Amino acid sequence: MNPDLLILAATHFEISHFLTLYPGDSKQFTKTGLTIVSGKVGHKTYDLLITGPGVFNAAHALTVYLEQTSPTLVLLTGIAGIFKQTGGKIGDIAIATREHYIHTGVQTDCLANAPLPFDLIDADPLTRKGIYLFEQDRVDHYHEILSRSVLSNKVNIIKGHFITVSSITSSFKQADRLYSAFSPVMEAMEGAACAHIAKLYDIPMIEVRSGSNFVGERDKSKWDIELAAKQLGWVCAAI
């Protein structure tokens, strides 16, 4: 039976607070060792899949799943680096208006690449630069749901561009350069891959993340992964 929602997260810890609240009713396993947890929140059914970190693991996991099942909606979630330049803070929630795999394209003298001479998805020229748009009405709808459901007035619910990277930004100087080039809200490692696969299978997708650190901050004592993961428990339940 096709679920109402497929929840994707890179690691178990990121989604652990949701699983504590809603541990699921059953599990199944793929040939490559992925675990799919199935359950219910109220009257809505969900499957939950831990993809593993990075674009390759995410693309593999979602492809394996969608070959067998067609959920009504894919929710990609997890912790992320938030750009200080947005005015956001650690623990804030952001929903992506678009994803951009910034390593796609033809190299230029600046960070932003020129487009490839071919579409990565037929008839979608934005994929030449690794850009994937999310449907604005759907983004607005879930932004409204999360804004109504937020547990504290200290938490901001932000909409904006996300970037997908294969190497975590390790300096504030580089974070400034990325922000100047792309104006992103958050940086993570799986978003564009999942957006690409969901588009190939024509399955609606949203991406919602919680900031665990500021992009470029190397001092792990200033990160709050626990807070960010905790936020995702109510995010998934609300959606």
Side-chain angles (χ1 to χ4, degrees):
M1 183 176 175
N2 294 328
D4 296 305
L5 183 67
L6 169 64
I7 302 170
L8 300 174
T11 66
H12 183 274
F13 181 77
E14 292 169 273
I15 205 68
S16 59
H17 288 276
F18 174 77
L19 284 172
T20 298
L21 295 170
Y22 305 99
D25 306 314
S26 63
K27 291 182 180 180
Q28 55 182 305
F29 304 94
T30 71
K31 290 182 179 179
T32 52
L34 299 169
T35 303
I36 303 168
V37 176
S38 299
K40 252 186 173 184
V41 179
H43 298 295
K44 298 291 185 179
T45 57
Y46 73 85
D47 282 350
L48 188 150
L49 176 60
I50 309 298
T51 66
V55 292
F56 299 110
N57 281 325
H60 162 73
L62 187 53
T63 300
V64 167
Y65 180 89
L66 293 180
E67 278 293 299
Q68 302 295 328
T69 312
S70 297
T72 303
L73 178 71
V74 172
L75 165 63
L76 173 61
T77 193
I79 64 175
I82 188 167
F83 282 84
K84 263 187 178 179
Q85 296 87 340
T86 64
K89 62 185 184 302
I90 293 172
D92 280 350
I93 303 298
I95 180 168
T97 56
R98 81 173 196 181
E99 261 292 359
H100 188 178
Y101 188 44
I102 64 172
H103 308 297
T104 303
V106 179
Q107 191 174 28
T108 67
D109 292 334
C110 59
L111 279 177
N113 290 333
L116 293 166
F118 47 81
D119 298 346
L120 294 183
I121 295 178
D122 285 345
D124 189 345
L126 286 177
T127 61
R128 296 180 179 212
K129 292 187 70 174
I131 294 172
Y132 304 87
L133 300 181
F134 295 110
E135 188 179 319
Q136 190 62 50
D137 287 348
R138 186 173 292 111
V139 170
D140 292 343
H141 173 69
Y142 287 104
H143 180 268
E144 183 181 345
I145 286 174
L146 293 175
S147 297
R148 290 199 310 263
S149 305
V150 68
L151 302 179
S152 167
N153 58 14
K154 295 179 181 178
V155 178
N156 298 307
I157 312 294
I158 307 164
K159 290 183 285 188
H161 296 177
F162 286 16
I163 58 172
T164 297
V165 296
S166 290
S167 55
I168 296 171
T169 302
S170 61
S171 73
F172 287 124
K173 181 178 179 181
Q174 181 67 356
D176 285 338
R177 292 183 66 215
L178 286 169
Y179 191 78
S180 295
F182 305 110
S183 301
V185 174
M186 286 190 167
E187 168 190 278
M189 299 181 70
E190 299 82 27
C194 292
H196 186 101
I197 301 303
K199 192 170 184 65
L200 287 175
Y201 284 87
D202 196 26
I203 301 290
M205 174 182 149
I206 58 170
E207 183 177 4
V208 183
R209 292 186 179 270
S210 179
S212 58
N213 59 282
F214 290 116
V215 175
E217 178 58 76
R218 298 182 68 179
D219 183 354
K220 294 290 181 66
S221 69
K222 295 181 179 178
W223 293 28
D224 199 337
I225 295 174
E226 176 68 25
L227 171 63
K230 196 173 289 185
Q231 301 286 57
L232 298 176
W234 71 260
V235 164
C236 292
I239 289 175

